[in-house]
Amino acid sequence: MTVEAQKETLGFQAEVKQLLDLMIHSLYSHKEIFLRELISNASDAIDRLRFDALSDPSLYERDADFKIRVSYDKEARTITICDNGIGMSRNEVIEHIGTIARSGTKEFFKSLTGDKQKDANLIGQFGVGFYSSFVVADKVTLTTRRAGTPASEGVRWESDGKGEYSLETVEKPTRGTEVTLHLREDESEFLDGYRLRSIIRKYSDHIQLPIYMPVEDKEKQGEEEVVNKASALWTRSKSEISDQEYKEFYKHISHDFSDPLTYLHSKMEGTQEYTMLLYVPGQAPFDLWTREHHHGVKLYVRRVFIMDDAEKLMPRYLRFIRGVIDSNDLPLNVSREILQQNRLIDLMRSNATKKILGLLNDMATKEPEKYETFWREFGRVLKEGIIEDHSNRDTLAKLLRFSSTFSESDKQDVSLETYVKRMKEGQDKIYYLIAESYTAAKSSPLLEIFKQKGIEVLLFTDPIDHFIETELREFDGKQLQSVSKGEIDLSKFTDEKEKEEQQKTASEAKDLIERLKTVLGDKVKDVRTTNRLTSSPACLVVDQYGIDPSLKRLLEANGQRLPQDKQILEINPQHAIIQKIKQETDEQRFQDWAHVLFEQSQLSSGEPLEDPVGFVNRLNNLLAQS
Ligand SMILES: Nc1ncnc2c1ncn2[C@@H]1O[C@H](COP(=O)(O)OP(=O)(O)OP(=O)(O)O)[C@@H](O)[C@H]1O
C-alpha cells in the first residue's frame, strides 16, 4: 500500500464533538492551560517509554536523552510541542485522540450544568487534555510514531476540531509525538518566547523532565536551553517548594483544574526508604461512585514511573486521594501481581493511610470549615473505612460527622466527640436513628421522647450508615443505641410522679393490648405500651438485635432474601386516640382502628403499605363516623 493510499478522513465520536464545543466556551478564560496539558501528555508518554524500556531496551532506539521541546514560529503562527516518548500507532491515535474511551462519559455529560464556571471545573476533572489545544488553535497537527516501529510507520493526524480528522501514514525518523498548533487569529500573544516561558514556569516547572526552548538571543540561533527546574518535585526538600508549585503538581497528576484541599509531603528514612506526596482534592470527581478509579496514586521506583492508580497503595475508602509514592527499595520490574503480596507495599500503604488520616484529623481540629468541605465531598466514601479498615477504626470514628436533632439543617457536622461532650448527666448511650432520608428522620415519632427530654439523637441517613451501625458498637466507652430498637430506658430522666403515671396507664392498657394482639395476629411480633412517644399514638420498633426495617428494605432492593422478622407495635397509652380506642365497643370499628394504628406506624417509619386502598377505606369509615 502506498503512503497516499493510507490517507483517510474519520469522524469524531459524538461525545468528542460535544466536548470540543463545550470546552472552547468554558475554558476560554483559562486558555493558557493548553500548554500545561500538552506538556503533561508529553511527560506521561516519556514516563511510559522509560517503563516499557526496562524490559525492552530496544525501545530507546539509541536515544535515552529524554526531553520535551517547545518552539514557536511567528511567521507560520504555530507552536510545537515535541517529545521522545512512547508515541502512538495508527490504531492508538484513533482510539485515544478520536474517541473518549472512558467509563463514566455519560454521567459526565449529565452532570454538566450550563454554568460556565462550574462546567469548566467539571471539564477539568474529566480531563480534556489534548483537546484543550482547540481553545487557541483552529487546526492541530499531531505527528507520532510508536517506539520500536519502523520510521515508515509514522502517523499524521490533523483536524480543525469541527467534527472530522484526517489520518495519514508518514515517514517519521524519531520516535515520539509532535503536536503543532496553528493558532487562531486572535491568539498571537502566545507567539512570544517570554510568554511561553512564563506559562511553562507557572504550570510545568515541577515536570521531572527538561523542557527545552530555543534561546531567544538572535546571535545564539540554533541553541536551546532548559526552561524549567526539571527535577521530580517530591525529591526536593519541602522548604524549597512553594505552595503554588505543590498545587501545580497536583493539577498535573490529577488532571483537575481546581486546587487541592490539602496535601502532605513526607520522606521515610531508615530500613525502608520512600517518599510520598499525597493530595486531598477539593471536590469529588463526578464519577467517584461509577467507575474503577483512573487517576489514583502513582507508583514510582527510584524516580522511574511504574504505574498509575496503584490501588494497592491506598485502601478503597481513600480512593479519592491523588499523588505519588516513590520507593527506593522496590525492584524496577515490579508488576501488579507482585504488588498484591509485597510486604513493602503493605507497609507503605499502612503508613500512607495513617498519614492521610492524621492529616484529616488535623484539618478537622484546626480548620473545621475546610473539614466541612471535605466531609461534604468525601464523607460518604470515608465512612466505608469503618467497615473496611478495623485497624484504624478509632481514628476513623473520630472523623465521622452526622446530622443531629440538635442541628437546624441536614448538614452532617456533628462528631461523636461533640455528641459525647453534650450528653446529659447520667446519659450512658449514644442514641441514633436510622432513616432513608433526613426529612423522614427529622419527623420520626421515635424522636418524640428524646426531644421532650432534651436528649440529642444522631440521624443516620446515608445508606452506608446501616453498615456503620453494625460495625461501630461503641465510641469512647459509650454504647451506640438505635432509638428504633429494643426497649429504650430513659427512667433516669423521668421523675417519680411521671413514673407512677406511666405504670398506672400501662396497667390500665392491658386489656386493650390483648384485644389489639388478637386483631393484628401475626402481622406483629408483639404489642406493648411505650414511653417513647409523646404526640403520636403508636410506632413500630424491632428487637434489640433485629434488623432495622430500612436496612432490610435496602438489602432486599439489592436482591437479598431475609427472614420475615416481624416488628413490635408500641402504643402510647396516654394519647387521646388510644384512650378512645380503649372505649370502643363496636367490634368492626375496633378492628378498623387497630389496622389503622398499625398502618400509620408503617407509613411514618417509611414503609410501603401492603394494602393502601384498604387503609384509606378504613380511615374514611372512621372519619365518617366520628
Ligand atoms: N504526547 C503523547 N504521546 C503519546 N500518547 C499521547 C500523547 N498525548 C496524548 N496521548 C494519548 O492520548 C490519550 C488522550 O490524551 P488526553 O490528553 O486527551 O487525555 P489523558 O492524558 O489520557 O488524560 P485526561 O483525559 O485525564 O486529560 C492519552 O491517554 C495518551 O494515551
Side-chain angles (χ1 to χ4, degrees), residues 159 199 230 332 453 487 499 527:
S159 176
I199 302 175
L332 273 168
K453 305 276 178 207
E487 295 199 56
K499 275 187 199 157
V527 180

Side-chain angles (χ1 to χ4, degrees), residues 37-46 48 81-83 85-88 92-93 95-97 99-100 102 123-132 142 144 146 176-179 254-256 294-295:
E37 298 297 308
L38 295 177
I39 290 177
S40 190
N41 282 349
S43 150
D44 288 350
I46 292 176
R48 253 174 283 151
I81 295 93
C82 173
D83 67 67
I86 190 80
M88 282 178 274
E92 283 169 327
V93 172
E95 202 180 309
H96 298 314
I97 307 289
T99 52
I100 309 174
R102 289 264 302 273
I123 286 172
Q125 285 179 43
F126 186 73
V128 286
F130 175 76
Y131 297 122
S132 60
L142 173 146
T144 185
R146 174 95 186 164
T177 305
E178 188 180 291
V179 179
S254 69
H255 300 250
D256 189 350
H294 187 54
H295 302 293

